[in-house]
Every structure is written in C-alpha cells, then in structure tokens.
Amino acid sequence: MGLADLHLHTIYSYDGTATVPDVLRRAREVGLDVIAITDHDEIKGALLAVELAAHYGVEVIPGIEITTAEGDLLALFVTETVPAGLSLIETVLKVRELGGVCIAPHPSAGGMGMKSLSVSAIFKALRNPQVAETLVGIEAYNATALDRVSIATARLLTSGLNVASVGNSDAHVLDAIGLGATEFAGTSAADLLSALRSGETSIRRQKEWNAVRILGSWAVNYVGSLFTRLAMVTQ
C-alpha cells in the first residue's frame, strides 16, 4: 500500500512555515510515497516541489487550496492557478478544464479563520454531473484541525456519498507532515488518482496533537520563518 499526504503548506502560503526542500525531506523521512503541495491560492511552491522531487525520492502532485465563495477547496494535478472567489461549482469546473480533480478539505470546520465548505454546499455541487466526476474525495480526517466535531461530520459525509475518504495532515509545520495520510493500492501518483476515482482509499491516523501543541508549534515556527519570508520578498 502507498501512503499520501495531499494537504501540505509551504512558506509560499501566507500561513506556512517550511521551505519546499524541507517539506520534501520530511515527507521522505516519514515514509510518504506521494504528497501534494496545496498553498493558499498559490502554485509557485507546488511547481518548485515538482522540479525538486526526484532528488528527495517522493512524488509530488502540484495543487492549490483555492478560496471559493463557499469555502476552501483542494485542487490536485493542476499547474496553474484558479481565480479565488468563484462559486464552488464554477471552481470545480475550472479545475476540470485544467485536467485536475478536487477534494473538499475540513468540511464544516470552523475557528481560526478557517473557511470550510458546508455539507449543503457540497451536496448541491455534487448534483452537477461534471462536478461529481471531478470532486472525487472528502477530507474525512484532518490531523491539525482544531474543530474535532467537524472530523466526525466529515466521516459521516463520506460514508453517505460516492466519494473517496481522504486523510491529510494540513501541515503548516514540518513535524505535522504525515500525521494524517491516505492509504491506496500502489505507490505512484497515477495509482493514487485511480484509487481516488474508484473510492478505494483508507485513512491512516497518527497520534493527534492537542490545540495547544498545534497553535504553539505554528507560532514558534512562523516566527522562525520570518527571515526566510523577508528574503523571498526582497529577491
């Protein structure tokens, strides 16, 4: 079985703390076969990761966490950005045009400014046949979501829909990478895509962090990343 973490942030996200090389190194250390870089409305980090991936022994899916009018949406297998602020249906169809697929991350989760899709928004979108072919998974486990009630909601949602159940870390710091992951038959990104389309995936969970550790780790790492951010701005 292969192991994938499809919701990772780098320093190219406004709230990410880790460089692309460090994310790739950590992904290999924790035994991931496939990862997706999904920075907020930004593709640069993902494209850089694709270029560097062969040096680290992990396969990278380029992606984005897109801010739709109804909440966040993960787009995978895309190499250009999709405009933020479109409706969920419009966004999924744009991703489809680009040859990608979508996953609904942390549905119904709230707190800390998290913008999540509601259950009703997901149901409404899936009534569109083209959306249903493209929105292939729901993040039924998010390892660093502060809203634990939403995780139970997400599990119930996936059990009632014809979509893949996906586990991710939503890591904004290196140590969180792989805390949540998706198991699938095979080891490649192509194998993973087939498993997502067929719904033949399962979730792997590591020991959960509490809210203090999640927020404290992010704050410490964010402060540590400020010099790197400043260097990026001045380049």
Side-chain angles (χ1 to χ4, degrees), residues 66 68 70 73-76 78 80-83 86-103 124-136:
I66 306 169
T68 80
E70 288 109 311
L73 179 73
L74 297 181
L76 307 179
V78 294
E80 59 185 85
T81 57
V82 175
L86 300 177
S87 72
L88 174 59
I89 291 175
E90 289 175 309
T91 306
V92 174
L93 295 180
K94 287 280 187 184
V95 173
R96 180 184 176 89
E97 290 173 8
L98 295 174
V101 297
C102 298
I103 292 171
K124 179 180 177 181
L126 288 173
R127 294 192 193 109
N128 181 306
Q130 290 187 317
V131 169
E133 289 179 359
T134 311
L135 181 53
V136 295

Side-chain angles (χ1 to χ4, degrees), residues 1-4 31-34 181-188 191-192 202:
M1 298 292 287
L3 200 61
L32 294 170
D33 299 292
V34 180
T182 301
E183 293 181 331
F184 62 99
T187 58
S188 69
D191 294 330
L192 172 65
S202 58

Side-chain angles (χ1 to χ4, degrees), residues 149-170:
V149 174
S150 69
I151 294 174
T153 301
R155 286 199 300 269
L156 290 173
L157 185 57
T158 53
S159 66
L161 294 172
N162 186 30
V163 294
S165 181
V166 177
N168 291 321
S169 68
D170 194 2

Side-chain angles (χ1 to χ4, degrees), residues 20 24 44-56 60:
V20 170
L24 294 172
K44 291 178 183 176
L47 297 181
L48 176 59
V50 171
E51 290 180 17
L52 299 178
H55 299 292
Y56 293 88
V60 174

